[in-house]
Every structure is written in C-alpha cells, then in structure tokens.
Amino acid sequence: MDEPEGTEEDARHKGSTAPPPFAAAVEALRAARLRPQIEVEATRAPQRLAPYAYALEAAVVDGDEDLADGRLVLLHDPAGHDAWRGTFRLVTLVRAELEAEMAADPLLPDVCWSWLTGALQARGLTYGEPSGTVTRASSHYFGGLSARPSASQIEIRASWTPREGLGGVPDTAAHLASWCDLLAQVAGLPPAAPGDASIVSLPQRRGPQSR
C-alpha cells in the first residue's frame, strides 16, 4: 500500500520519530496480505485523537460494483489512555447499501454488531473496551430526483483496544484481516474461512453505490 502525502507527518509527534511499538504496528498493517476483492490504501490520519495515528480506507469491489467501504484508524498514546485501558486503539467506520426489506429487519443492528465481534473472535483475537453504534438510514427522493429509487444504508462505527503482545505491539495485521472479514460480510461475500459458523453472510444486496 502506498503511503499518501502527509502520512509520514501523521506518524510524528512534536518533531520526534514515532516510537518503535507504533512503527512496528504500522509496518504490520502495510505488510498484511488481504482478500483480493478488498482494495486497501493508506489515507491521511486524524490529527487530534492521539499523539500517533495511522489510517486506512478500503472498498469491497466486485467488477464495477462498490459493495461496501470503510475506514480503519490505528491510534497510539505511549502514556496510555484511561478510556482505552491500553496504549493502542482501533477505530472503524463501515458502511454499505441494503435492500429495503433487509434494512427493515428489527434484528439488523444486533446482527451487524455480532459480525464485528464474531470477526475478531474467529481469528482468535483478544481485545477490550469495545464500543460503537449501528445506524440504518433510508433515503427517499422527490421532485427533480423522484426518478431515483429509494436507498437504505447500514453504517457501523466502532472502536476497541487490541491486546498488546511482545514489545507492547498488538497484532495489527490480524486485526486488519478481521476488519476485512467484517467488510466482506457487510458486502455479502462468502466467508474467507469456509465452515466458520461465526460468519453469516448478508443475504440481500443493492446495486452499485454512488460515492
């Protein structure tokens, strides 16, 4: 994944080089091998959430169709963070369009949250302090836009603290792979690990999304 302009600056704090645990965590993200249907690239990270940050954005692509997209941000505070209960935090946004019938399912938010936790558990990852929201929205068009069909979208916003391993470095490559599993589920792709009961594919999809 190519590093965009500005990313090197995002990995610095007050002119000093990023600490080794953060540098190792970022390098693991860059070296991760992912599903071919998921296109991932580095993007500019937020500046005010933590002393060090690195961000990725991804899209699940099937031919010319953009089935789902998302953003994953790795935060690091060497001094630790009380709310995180650790020195690292992963923050994500995942979204996709749905068929209206699927969007109307009252169990959809609970199912979508279970996709996130299930994706982490399926790869044997331990984590703490998970939090987030699942939002569904419908758009109806009128007047000059009335020819457009109604659209429904699901959006998952979440964060969690990855367990730190040797040298205080979390297994960010595995967390990225789990996040891509979540993206694939939301997009309706089959699970990467056949037979994994924790993976439930989305049964109905809309056409290409307008971005």
Side-chain angles (χ1 to χ4, degrees):
M1 294 174 288
D2 294 332
E3 186 177 78
E5 182 179 356
T7 302
E8 182 178 354
E9 181 63 26
D10 295 340
R12 297 180 180 275
H13 176 58
K14 296 182 179 179
S16 61
T17 303
F22 179 73
V26 169
E27 182 57 32
L29 290 175
R30 291 172 173 164
R33 299 182 63 182
L34 307 172
R35 296 178 61 151
Q37 302 98 327
I38 300 180
E39 299 179 353
V40 181
E41 63 180 1
T43 187
R44 189 169 183 84
Q47 300 293 301
R48 300 178 181 178
L49 298 180
Y52 302 92
Y54 184 80
L56 298 169
E57 58 184 16
V60 181
V61 179
D62 182 12
D64 294 331
E65 294 189 21
D66 182 1
L67 301 180
D69 62 30
R71 179 179 172 92
L72 183 69
V73 180
L74 175 68
L75 304 176
H76 180 54
D77 186 342
H81 196 293
D82 290 341
W84 303 351
R85 295 185 181 274
T87 63
F88 283 91
R89 188 75 170 172
L90 285 163
V91 182
T92 186
L93 164 67
V94 172
R95 60 190 177 185
E97 291 192 23
L98 305 173
E99 292 288 351
E101 292 182 2
M102 185 65 181
D105 187 338
L107 296 179
L108 182 64
D110 298 277
V111 170
C112 287
W113 185 256
S114 73
W115 288 344
L116 169 62
T117 57
L120 294 167
Q121 292 166 5
R123 292 185 179 270
L125 294 171
T126 55
Y127 59 95
E129 307 305 314
S131 64
T133 61
V134 177
T135 305
R136 51 186 167 186
S138 297
S139 299
H140 302 271
Y141 301 95
F142 301 93
L145 300 176
S146 59
R148 294 187 182 183
S150 298
S152 297
Q153 186 180 71
I154 192 73
E155 181 179 275
I156 304 170
R157 293 179 179 269
S159 63
W160 64 95
T161 299
R163 181 180 179 181
E164 297 170 16
L166 295 176
V169 182
D171 189 351
T172 50
H175 281 271
L176 175 58
S178 294
W179 181 68
C180 287
D181 292 342
L182 171 64
L183 274 172
Q185 282 183 266
V186 173
L189 298 183
D196 191 333
S198 67
I199 303 298
V200 180
S201 295
L202 190 64
Q204 299 182 28
R205 296 291 316 151
R206 292 190 63 88
Q209 300 183 50
S210 298
R211 297 292 178 206

mmCIF file of all heavy atoms in Angstrom, residues 81-130:
data_model
loop_
_atom_site.group_PDB
_atom_site.id
_atom_site.type_symbol
_atom_site.label_atom_id
_atom_site.label_comp_id
_atom_site.label_asym_id
_atom_site.label_seq_id
_atom_site.Cartn_x
_atom_site.Cartn_y
_atom_site.Cartn_z
ATOM 1 N N HIS A 81 -4.055 5.405 27.912
ATOM 2 C CA HIS A 81 -5.296 6.171 27.877
ATOM 3 C C HIS A 81 -6.300 5.471 28.780
ATOM 4 O O HIS A 81 -6.576 4.282 28.609
ATOM 5 C CB HIS A 81 -5.806 6.242 26.437
ATOM 6 C CG HIS A 81 -6.849 7.286 26.200
ATOM 7 N ND1 HIS A 81 -8.102 7.210 26.761
ATOM 8 C CD2 HIS A 81 -6.821 8.438 25.470
ATOM 9 C CE1 HIS A 81 -8.810 8.251 26.371
ATOM 10 N NE2 HIS A 81 -8.052 9.011 25.594
ATOM 11 N N ASP A 82 -6.836 6.195 29.747
ATOM 12 C CA ASP A 82 -7.739 5.573 30.722
ATOM 13 C C ASP A 82 -8.941 4.911 30.062
ATOM 14 O O ASP A 82 -9.328 3.799 30.427
ATOM 15 C CB ASP A 82 -8.228 6.620 31.730
ATOM 16 C CG ASP A 82 -7.113 7.087 32.661
ATOM 17 O OD1 ASP A 82 -6.106 6.363 32.774
ATOM 18 O OD2 ASP A 82 -7.262 8.164 33.267
ATOM 19 N N ALA A 83 -9.550 5.584 29.092
ATOM 20 C CA ALA A 83 -10.742 5.035 28.444
ATOM 21 C C ALA A 83 -10.411 3.801 27.615
ATOM 22 O O ALA A 83 -11.234 2.884 27.489
ATOM 23 C CB ALA A 83 -11.412 6.095 27.576
ATOM 24 N N TRP A 84 -9.216 3.753 27.043
ATOM 25 C CA TRP A 84 -8.820 2.602 26.236
ATOM 26 C C TRP A 84 -8.401 1.423 27.107
ATOM 27 O O TRP A 84 -8.518 0.279 26.690
ATOM 28 C CB TRP A 84 -7.630 2.949 25.344
ATOM 29 C CG TRP A 84 -7.804 4.089 24.413
ATOM 30 C CD1 TRP A 84 -8.959 4.773 24.136
ATOM 31 C CD2 TRP A 84 -6.774 4.701 23.628
ATOM 32 N NE1 TRP A 84 -8.712 5.762 23.230
ATOM 33 C CE2 TRP A 84 -7.389 5.748 22.891
ATOM 34 C CE3 TRP A 84 -5.414 4.464 23.461
ATOM 35 C CZ2 TRP A 84 -6.657 6.553 22.010
ATOM 36 C CZ3 TRP A 84 -4.689 5.258 22.597
ATOM 37 C CH2 TRP A 84 -5.317 6.290 21.878
ATOM 38 N N ARG A 85 -7.830 1.721 28.270
ATOM 39 C CA ARG A 85 -7.174 0.701 29.099
ATOM 40 C C ARG A 85 -6.038 0.034 28.314
ATOM 41 O O ARG A 85 -5.883 -1.188 28.307
ATOM 42 C CB ARG A 85 -8.176 -0.347 29.603
ATOM 43 C CG ARG A 85 -9.220 0.229 30.541
ATOM 44 C CD ARG A 85 -10.111 -0.844 31.125
ATOM 45 N NE ARG A 85 -11.111 -0.288 32.005
ATOM 46 C CZ ARG A 85 -10.943 -0.032 33.294
ATOM 47 N NH1 ARG A 85 -9.777 -0.295 33.860
ATOM 48 N NH2 ARG A 85 -11.923 0.482 34.019
ATOM 49 N N GLY A 86 -5.246 0.868 27.688
ATOM 50 C CA GLY A 86 -4.128 0.394 26.891
ATOM 51 C C GLY A 86 -3.472 1.567 26.197
ATOM 52 O O GLY A 86 -3.846 2.729 26.415
ATOM 53 N N THR A 87 -2.495 1.301 25.349
ATOM 54 C CA THR A 87 -1.807 2.367 24.628
ATOM 55 C C THR A 87 -2.208 2.419 23.156
ATOM 56 O O THR A 87 -1.817 3.353 22.449
ATOM 57 C CB THR A 87 -0.279 2.196 24.721
ATOM 58 O OG1 THR A 87 0.101 0.968 24.096
ATOM 59 C CG2 THR A 87 0.179 2.188 26.182
ATOM 60 N N PHE A 88 -2.957 1.426 22.678
ATOM 61 C CA PHE A 88 -3.419 1.404 21.296
ATOM 62 C C PHE A 88 -4.942 1.373 21.263
ATOM 63 O O PHE A 88 -5.596 0.861 22.183
ATOM 64 C CB PHE A 88 -2.886 0.168 20.554
ATOM 65 C CG PHE A 88 -1.448 0.270 20.129
ATOM 66 C CD1 PHE A 88 -0.437 -0.182 20.968
ATOM 67 C CD2 PHE A 88 -1.099 0.810 18.899
ATOM 68 C CE1 PHE A 88 0.895 -0.105 20.590
ATOM 69 C CE2 PHE A 88 0.230 0.900 18.512
ATOM 70 C CZ PHE A 88 1.232 0.440 19.355
ATOM 71 N N ARG A 89 -5.499 1.872 20.185
ATOM 72 C CA ARG A 89 -6.943 1.818 19.967
ATOM 73 C C ARG A 89 -7.202 1.723 18.469
ATOM 74 O O ARG A 89 -6.525 2.387 17.677
ATOM 75 C CB ARG A 89 -7.621 3.070 20.524
ATOM 76 C CG ARG A 89 -9.151 3.036 20.513
ATOM 77 C CD ARG A 89 -9.678 2.156 21.602
ATOM 78 N NE ARG A 89 -11.142 2.296 21.746
ATOM 79 C CZ ARG A 89 -11.869 1.524 22.538
ATOM 80 N NH1 ARG A 89 -11.296 0.568 23.256
ATOM 81 N NH2 ARG A 89 -13.179 1.689 22.629
ATOM 82 N N LEU A 90 -8.155 0.899 18.081
ATOM 83 C CA LEU A 90 -8.590 0.802 16.694
ATOM 84 C C LEU A 90 -9.984 1.394 16.581
ATOM 85 O O LEU A 90 -10.870 1.085 17.383
ATOM 86 C CB LEU A 90 -8.579 -0.653 16.227
ATOM 87 C CG LEU A 90 -7.192 -1.230 15.954
ATOM 88 C CD1 LEU A 90 -7.228 -2.751 15.898
ATOM 89 C CD2 LEU A 90 -6.623 -0.667 14.645
ATOM 90 N N VAL A 91 -10.176 2.239 15.582
ATOM 91 C CA VAL A 91 -11.446 2.921 15.358
ATOM 92 C C VAL A 91 -11.874 2.665 13.916
ATOM 93 O O VAL A 91 -11.048 2.767 12.996
ATOM 94 C CB VAL A 91 -11.307 4.435 15.595
ATOM 95 C CG1 VAL A 91 -12.651 5.134 15.394
ATOM 96 C CG2 VAL A 91 -10.758 4.715 16.987
ATOM 97 N N THR A 92 -13.157 2.342 13.712
ATOM 98 C CA THR A 92 -13.577 2.000 12.365
ATOM 99 C C THR A 92 -14.928 2.584 12.002
ATOM 100 O O THR A 92 -15.770 2.858 12.865
ATOM 101 C CB THR A 92 -13.647 0.471 12.178
ATOM 102 O OG1 THR A 92 -13.930 0.187 10.808
ATOM 103 C CG2 THR A 92 -14.746 -0.140 13.026
ATOM 104 N N LEU A 93 -15.107 2.762 10.717
ATOM 105 C CA LEU A 93 -16.389 3.075 10.103
ATOM 106 C C LEU A 93 -16.554 2.124 8.931
ATOM 107 O O LEU A 93 -15.664 2.017 8.085
ATOM 108 C CB LEU A 93 -16.425 4.523 9.606
ATOM 109 C CG LEU A 93 -17.540 4.866 8.609
ATOM 110 C CD1 LEU A 93 -18.905 4.777 9.269
ATOM 111 C CD2 LEU A 93 -17.320 6.268 8.025
ATOM 112 N N VAL A 94 -17.691 1.423 8.879
ATOM 113 C CA VAL A 94 -18.009 0.516 7.778
ATOM 114 C C VAL A 94 -19.423 0.829 7.312
ATOM 115 O O VAL A 94 -20.319 1.025 8.147
ATOM 116 C CB VAL A 94 -17.925 -0.961 8.222
ATOM 117 C CG1 VAL A 94 -18.453 -1.886 7.132
ATOM 118 C CG2 VAL A 94 -16.486 -1.327 8.570
ATOM 119 N N ARG A 95 -19.642 0.869 6.016
ATOM 120 C CA ARG A 95 -20.979 1.169 5.514
ATOM 121 C C ARG A 95 -21.255 0.428 4.209
ATOM 122 O O ARG A 95 -20.337 0.108 3.457
ATOM 123 C CB ARG A 95 -21.149 2.671 5.304
ATOM 124 C CG ARG A 95 -20.171 3.273 4.318
ATOM 125 C CD ARG A 95 -20.215 4.775 4.312
ATOM 126 N NE ARG A 95 -19.214 5.322 3.391
ATOM 127 C CZ ARG A 95 -18.958 6.612 3.255
ATOM 128 N NH1 ARG A 95 -19.617 7.498 3.972
ATOM 129 N NH2 ARG A 95 -18.031 7.023 2.405
ATOM 130 N N ALA A 96 -22.537 0.181 3.980
ATOM 131 C CA ALA A 96 -22.966 -0.494 2.763
ATOM 132 C C ALA A 96 -24.436 -0.207 2.542
ATOM 133 O O ALA A 96 -25.170 0.125 3.478
ATOM 134 C CB ALA A 96 -22.737 -2.000 2.857
ATOM 135 N N GLU A 97 -24.871 -0.334 1.295
ATOM 136 C CA GLU A 97 -26.277 -0.180 0.981
ATOM 137 C C GLU A 97 -26.980 -1.530 1.048
ATOM 138 O O GLU A 97 -26.374 -2.577 0.792
ATOM 139 C CB GLU A 97 -26.459 0.457 -0.391
ATOM 140 C CG GLU A 97 -26.032 1.919 -0.410
ATOM 141 C CD GLU A 97 -26.469 2.629 -1.672
ATOM 142 O OE1 GLU A 97 -27.438 2.176 -2.316
ATOM 143 O OE2 GLU A 97 -25.838 3.634 -2.020
ATOM 144 N N LEU A 98 -28.277 -1.498 1.409
ATOM 145 C CA LEU A 98 -29.041 -2.717 1.618
ATOM 146 C C LEU A 98 -30.351 -2.667 0.857
ATOM 147 O O LEU A 98 -30.853 -1.593 0.519
ATOM 148 C CB LEU A 98 -29.371 -2.891 3.112
ATOM 149 C CG LEU A 98 -28.230 -2.877 4.114
ATOM 150 C CD1 LEU A 98 -28.820 -2.884 5.515
ATOM 151 C CD2 LEU A 98 -27.333 -4.068 3.904
ATOM 152 N N GLU A 99 -30.933 -3.831 0.655
ATOM 153 C CA GLU A 99 -32.303 -3.902 0.194
ATOM 154 C C GLU A 99 -33.212 -3.387 1.310
ATOM 155 O O GLU A 99 -32.916 -3.559 2.504
ATOM 156 C CB GLU A 99 -32.671 -5.340 -0.161
ATOM 157 C CG GLU A 99 -31.949 -5.893 -1.386
ATOM 158 C CD GLU A 99 -32.464 -5.264 -2.682
ATOM 159 O OE1 GLU A 99 -33.475 -4.545 -2.623
ATOM 160 O OE2 GLU A 99 -31.851 -5.496 -3.737
ATOM 161 N N ALA A 100 -34.322 -2.763 0.934
ATOM 162 C CA ALA A 100 -35.224 -2.171 1.915
ATOM 163 C C ALA A 100 -35.739 -3.200 2.913
ATOM 164 O O ALA A 100 -35.865 -2.921 4.109
ATOM 165 C CB ALA A 100 -36.388 -1.492 1.198
ATOM 166 N N GLU A 101 -36.030 -4.412 2.450
ATOM 167 C CA GLU A 101 -36.555 -5.437 3.349
ATOM 168 C C GLU A 101 -35.537 -5.814 4.418
ATOM 169 O O GLU A 101 -35.886 -6.011 5.581
ATOM 170 C CB GLU A 101 -36.976 -6.677 2.551
ATOM 171 C CG GLU A 101 -38.182 -6.441 1.649
ATOM 172 C CD GLU A 101 -38.584 -7.702 0.915
ATOM 173 O OE1 GLU A 101 -37.934 -8.765 1.139
ATOM 174 O OE2 GLU A 101 -39.531 -7.639 0.117
ATOM 175 N N MET A 102 -34.278 -5.917 4.017
ATOM 176 C CA MET A 102 -33.225 -6.238 4.976
ATOM 177 C C MET A 102 -33.044 -5.099 5.970
ATOM 178 O O MET A 102 -32.886 -5.313 7.173
ATOM 179 C CB MET A 102 -31.915 -6.509 4.235
ATOM 180 C CG MET A 102 -30.780 -6.976 5.125
ATOM 181 S SD MET A 102 -31.115 -8.575 5.872
ATOM 182 C CE MET A 102 -29.632 -8.787 6.853
ATOM 183 N N ALA A 103 -33.102 -3.865 5.471
ATOM 184 C CA ALA A 103 -32.913 -2.712 6.344
ATOM 185 C C ALA A 103 -34.028 -2.597 7.370
ATOM 186 O O ALA A 103 -33.833 -2.033 8.448
ATOM 187 C CB ALA A 103 -32.844 -1.438 5.505
ATOM 188 N N ALA A 104 -35.213 -3.138 7.056
ATOM 189 C CA ALA A 104 -36.349 -3.052 7.971
ATOM 190 C C ALA A 104 -36.332 -4.126 9.052
ATOM 191 O O ALA A 104 -37.143 -4.085 9.979
ATOM 192 C CB ALA A 104 -37.655 -3.150 7.178
ATOM 193 N N ASP A 105 -35.422 -5.063 8.973
ATOM 194 C CA ASP A 105 -35.353 -6.141 9.962
ATOM 195 C C ASP A 105 -34.990 -5.558 11.326
ATOM 196 O O ASP A 105 -33.929 -4.944 11.480
ATOM 197 C CB ASP A 105 -34.295 -7.153 9.524
ATOM 198 C CG ASP A 105 -34.273 -8.405 10.402
ATOM 199 O OD1 ASP A 105 -34.754 -8.335 11.548
ATOM 200 O OD2 ASP A 105 -33.756 -9.427 9.943
ATOM 201 N N PRO A 106 -35.821 -5.748 12.351
ATOM 202 C CA PRO A 106 -35.522 -5.157 13.660
ATOM 203 C C PRO A 106 -34.267 -5.722 14.319
ATOM 204 O O PRO A 106 -33.698 -5.097 15.214
ATOM 205 C CB PRO A 106 -36.781 -5.474 14.486
ATOM 206 C CG PRO A 106 -37.399 -6.649 13.804
ATOM 207 C CD PRO A 106 -37.110 -6.466 12.345
ATOM 208 N N LEU A 107 -33.845 -6.896 13.893
ATOM 209 C CA LEU A 107 -32.652 -7.515 14.484
ATOM 210 C C LEU A 107 -31.359 -7.095 13.786
ATOM 211 O O LEU A 107 -30.271 -7.483 14.217
ATOM 212 C CB LEU A 107 -32.772 -9.044 14.437
ATOM 213 C CG LEU A 107 -33.912 -9.652 15.248
ATOM 214 C CD1 LEU A 107 -33.921 -11.168 15.074
ATOM 215 C CD2 LEU A 107 -33.803 -9.281 16.719
ATOM 216 N N LEU A 108 -31.471 -6.306 12.723
ATOM 217 C CA LEU A 108 -30.292 -5.967 11.931
ATOM 218 C C LEU A 108 -29.173 -5.321 12.747
ATOM 219 O O LEU A 108 -28.012 -5.719 12.616
ATOM 220 C CB LEU A 108 -30.690 -5.061 10.772
ATOM 221 C CG LEU A 108 -29.541 -4.661 9.835
ATOM 222 C CD1 LEU A 108 -28.962 -5.880 9.130
ATOM 223 C CD2 LEU A 108 -30.013 -3.630 8.816
ATOM 224 N N PRO A 109 -29.437 -4.324 13.612
ATOM 225 C CA PRO A 109 -28.326 -3.726 14.374
ATOM 226 C C PRO A 109 -27.585 -4.743 15.237
ATOM 227 O O PRO A 109 -26.342 -4.731 15.289
ATOM 228 C CB PRO A 109 -29.032 -2.669 15.234
ATOM 229 C CG PRO A 109 -30.258 -2.317 14.463
ATOM 230 C CD PRO A 109 -30.703 -3.611 13.846
ATOM 231 N N ASP A 110 -28.325 -5.631 15.911
ATOM 232 C CA ASP A 110 -27.672 -6.645 16.744
ATOM 233 C C ASP A 110 -26.836 -7.597 15.904
ATOM 234 O O ASP A 110 -25.730 -7.993 16.292
ATOM 235 C CB ASP A 110 -28.725 -7.427 17.524
ATOM 236 C CG ASP A 110 -29.511 -6.547 18.470
ATOM 237 O OD1 ASP A 110 -29.026 -6.285 19.582
ATOM 238 O OD2 ASP A 110 -30.611 -6.116 18.083
ATOM 239 N N VAL A 111 -27.366 -7.963 14.740
ATOM 240 C CA VAL A 111 -26.635 -8.868 13.854
ATOM 241 C C VAL A 111 -25.350 -8.212 13.360
ATOM 242 O O VAL A 111 -24.276 -8.831 13.347
ATOM 243 C CB VAL A 111 -27.513 -9.297 12.669
ATOM 244 C CG1 VAL A 111 -26.693 -10.044 11.623
ATOM 245 C CG2 VAL A 111 -28.667 -10.171 13.149
ATOM 246 N N CYS A 112 -25.440 -6.941 12.961
ATOM 247 C CA CYS A 112 -24.251 -6.245 12.456
ATOM 248 C C CYS A 112 -23.173 -6.126 13.534
ATOM 249 O O CYS A 112 -21.979 -6.288 13.249
ATOM 250 C CB CYS A 112 -24.641 -4.859 11.942
ATOM 251 S SG CYS A 112 -25.554 -4.888 10.387
ATOM 252 N N TRP A 113 -23.566 -5.849 14.777
ATOM 253 C CA TRP A 113 -22.581 -5.787 15.853
ATOM 254 C C TRP A 113 -21.952 -7.155 16.082
ATOM 255 O O TRP A 113 -20.743 -7.255 16.339
ATOM 256 C CB TRP A 113 -23.219 -5.264 17.132
ATOM 257 C CG TRP A 113 -22.221 -5.065 18.232
ATOM 258 C CD1 TRP A 113 -22.018 -5.860 19.323
ATOM 259 C CD2 TRP A 113 -21.248 -4.025 18.322
ATOM 260 N NE1 TRP A 113 -20.997 -5.375 20.103
ATOM 261 C CE2 TRP A 113 -20.501 -4.243 19.507
ATOM 262 C CE3 TRP A 113 -20.940 -2.916 17.525
ATOM 263 C CZ2 TRP A 113 -19.476 -3.397 19.900
ATOM 264 C CZ3 TRP A 113 -19.909 -2.082 17.917
ATOM 265 C CH2 TRP A 113 -19.184 -2.325 19.094
ATOM 266 N N SER A 114 -22.742 -8.214 15.969
ATOM 267 C CA SER A 114 -22.193 -9.565 16.148
ATOM 268 C C SER A 114 -21.226 -9.906 15.028
ATOM 269 O O SER A 114 -20.310 -10.712 15.219
ATOM 270 C CB SER A 114 -23.319 -10.600 16.211
ATOM 271 O OG SER A 114 -23.914 -10.817 14.940
ATOM 272 N N TRP A 115 -21.397 -9.304 13.841
ATOM 273 C CA TRP A 115 -20.436 -9.524 12.767
ATOM 274 C C TRP A 115 -19.064 -8.997 13.152
ATOM 275 O O TRP A 115 -18.043 -9.624 12.868
ATOM 276 C CB TRP A 115 -20.907 -8.838 11.485
ATOM 277 C CG TRP A 115 -22.067 -9.507 10.830
ATOM 278 C CD1 TRP A 115 -22.538 -10.773 11.058
ATOM 279 C CD2 TRP A 115 -22.914 -8.940 9.831
ATOM 280 N NE1 TRP A 115 -23.627 -11.018 10.264
ATOM 281 C CE2 TRP A 115 -23.877 -9.913 9.495
ATOM 282 C CE3 TRP A 115 -22.958 -7.696 9.188
ATOM 283 C CZ2 TRP A 115 -24.870 -9.691 8.550
ATOM 284 C CZ3 TRP A 115 -23.933 -7.474 8.239
ATOM 285 C CH2 TRP A 115 -24.870 -8.457 7.920
ATOM 286 N N LEU A 116 -19.037 -7.839 13.796
ATOM 287 C CA LEU A 116 -17.757 -7.259 14.228
ATOM 288 C C LEU A 116 -17.096 -8.140 15.279
ATOM 289 O O LEU A 116 -15.929 -8.543 15.124
ATOM 290 C CB LEU A 116 -17.978 -5.853 14.775
ATOM 291 C CG LEU A 116 -16.780 -5.220 15.496
ATOM 292 C CD1 LEU A 116 -15.605 -5.051 14.545
ATOM 293 C CD2 LEU A 116 -17.178 -3.888 16.127
ATOM 294 N N THR A 117 -17.804 -8.440 16.352
ATOM 295 C CA THR A 117 -17.211 -9.254 17.424
ATOM 296 C C THR A 117 -16.896 -10.663 16.934
ATOM 297 O O THR A 117 -15.878 -11.243 17.314
ATOM 298 C CB THR A 117 -18.143 -9.306 18.637
ATOM 299 O OG1 THR A 117 -19.426 -9.831 18.247
ATOM 300 C CG2 THR A 117 -18.346 -7.908 19.219
ATOM 301 N N GLY A 118 -17.749 -11.196 16.072
ATOM 302 C CA GLY A 118 -17.505 -12.533 15.541
ATOM 303 C C GLY A 118 -16.280 -12.596 14.662
ATOM 304 O O GLY A 118 -15.541 -13.583 14.663
ATOM 305 N N ALA A 119 -16.034 -11.527 13.885
ATOM 306 C CA ALA A 119 -14.854 -11.490 13.023
ATOM 307 C C ALA A 119 -13.574 -11.494 13.845
ATOM 308 O O ALA A 119 -12.586 -12.147 13.486
ATOM 309 C CB ALA A 119 -14.906 -10.260 12.126
ATOM 310 N N LEU A 120 -13.577 -10.777 14.968
ATOM 311 C CA LEU A 120 -12.414 -10.769 15.849
ATOM 312 C C LEU A 120 -12.227 -12.124 16.524
ATOM 313 O O LEU A 120 -11.112 -12.664 16.593
ATOM 314 C CB LEU A 120 -12.564 -9.673 16.895
ATOM 315 C CG LEU A 120 -12.541 -8.229 16.373
ATOM 316 C CD1 LEU A 120 -13.010 -7.260 17.455
ATOM 317 C CD2 LEU A 120 -11.146 -7.856 15.889
ATOM 318 N N GLN A 121 -13.309 -12.692 17.013
ATOM 319 C CA GLN A 121 -13.236 -13.977 17.706
ATOM 320 C C GLN A 121 -12.839 -15.105 16.765
ATOM 321 O O GLN A 121 -12.130 -16.035 17.155
ATOM 322 C CB GLN A 121 -14.579 -14.275 18.366
ATOM 323 C CG GLN A 121 -14.902 -13.327 19.516
ATOM 324 C CD GLN A 121 -16.349 -13.400 19.956
ATOM 325 O OE1 GLN A 121 -17.121 -14.230 19.467
ATOM 326 N NE2 GLN A 121 -16.742 -12.530 20.876
ATOM 327 N N ALA A 122 -13.285 -15.021 15.511
ATOM 328 C CA ALA A 122 -12.978 -16.085 14.548
ATOM 329 C C ALA A 122 -11.480 -16.217 14.293
ATOM 330 O O ALA A 122 -11.001 -17.291 13.947
ATOM 331 C CB ALA A 122 -13.705 -15.823 13.232
ATOM 332 N N ARG A 123 -10.743 -15.130 14.487
ATOM 333 C CA ARG A 123 -9.288 -15.164 14.298
ATOM 334 C C ARG A 123 -8.543 -15.260 15.629
ATOM 335 O O ARG A 123 -7.333 -15.057 15.680
ATOM 336 C CB ARG A 123 -8.833 -13.941 13.501
ATOM 337 C CG ARG A 123 -9.325 -13.984 12.050
ATOM 338 C CD ARG A 123 -8.777 -12.849 11.226
ATOM 339 N NE ARG A 123 -9.239 -12.933 9.843
ATOM 340 C CZ ARG A 123 -8.612 -13.590 8.871
ATOM 341 N NH1 ARG A 123 -7.469 -14.210 9.135
ATOM 342 N NH2 ARG A 123 -9.105 -13.618 7.655
ATOM 343 N N GLY A 124 -9.290 -15.556 16.698
ATOM 344 C CA GLY A 124 -8.663 -15.775 17.999
ATOM 345 C C GLY A 124 -8.083 -14.537 18.632
ATOM 346 O O GLY A 124 -7.169 -14.635 19.469
ATOM 347 N N LEU A 125 -8.602 -13.368 18.291
ATOM 348 C CA LEU A 125 -8.054 -12.117 18.814
ATOM 349 C C LEU A 125 -8.722 -11.745 20.133
ATOM 350 O O LEU A 125 -9.928 -11.935 20.309
ATOM 351 C CB LEU A 125 -8.266 -10.994 17.805
ATOM 352 C CG LEU A 125 -7.481 -11.144 16.498
ATOM 353 C CD1 LEU A 125 -7.932 -10.112 15.484
ATOM 354 C CD2 LEU A 125 -5.984 -11.012 16.756
ATOM 355 N N THR A 126 -7.935 -11.234 21.041
ATOM 356 C CA THR A 126 -8.472 -10.724 22.299
ATOM 357 C C THR A 126 -8.399 -9.205 22.265
ATOM 358 O O THR A 126 -7.466 -8.609 21.718
ATOM 359 C CB THR A 126 -7.687 -11.260 23.499
ATOM 360 O OG1 THR A 126 -6.298 -10.964 23.340
ATOM 361 C CG2 THR A 126 -7.858 -12.774 23.625
ATOM 362 N N TYR A 127 -9.393 -8.581 22.875
ATOM 363 C CA TYR A 127 -9.495 -7.129 22.830
ATOM 364 C C TYR A 127 -10.323 -6.673 24.025
ATOM 365 O O TYR A 127 -10.974 -7.477 24.711
ATOM 366 C CB TYR A 127 -10.163 -6.686 21.523
ATOM 367 C CG TYR A 127 -11.548 -7.249 21.335
ATOM 368 C CD1 TYR A 127 -12.678 -6.527 21.710
ATOM 369 C CD2 TYR A 127 -11.730 -8.525 20.806
ATOM 370 C CE1 TYR A 127 -13.947 -7.056 21.564
ATOM 371 C CE2 TYR A 127 -12.995 -9.059 20.651
ATOM 372 C CZ TYR A 127 -14.099 -8.314 21.019
ATOM 373 O OH TYR A 127 -15.361 -8.843 20.876
ATOM 374 N N GLY A 128 -10.297 -5.372 24.285
ATOM 375 C CA GLY A 128 -11.038 -4.838 25.413
ATOM 376 C C GLY A 128 -11.767 -3.565 25.076
ATOM 377 O O GLY A 128 -11.537 -2.948 24.026
ATOM 378 N N GLU A 129 -12.635 -3.154 25.969
ATOM 379 C CA GLU A 129 -13.361 -1.888 25.902
ATOM 380 C C GLU A 129 -14.016 -1.631 24.541
ATOM 381 O O GLU A 129 -13.868 -0.551 23.956
ATOM 382 C CB GLU A 129 -12.419 -0.725 26.238
ATOM 383 C CG GLU A 129 -11.671 -0.880 27.550
ATOM 384 C CD GLU A 129 -12.607 -1.126 28.732
ATOM 385 O OE1 GLU A 129 -13.623 -0.418 28.842
ATOM 386 O OE2 GLU A 129 -12.324 -2.042 29.532
ATOM 387 N N PRO A 130 -14.755 -2.609 23.991
ATOM 388 C CA PRO A 130 -15.422 -2.346 22.709
ATOM 389 C C PRO A 130 -16.585 -1.381 22.887
ATOM 390 O O PRO A 130 -17.282 -1.395 23.903
ATOM 391 C CB PRO A 130 -15.918 -3.733 22.295
ATOM 392 C CG PRO A 130 -16.158 -4.447 23.597
ATOM 393 C CD PRO A 130 -15.074 -3.954 24.525
#
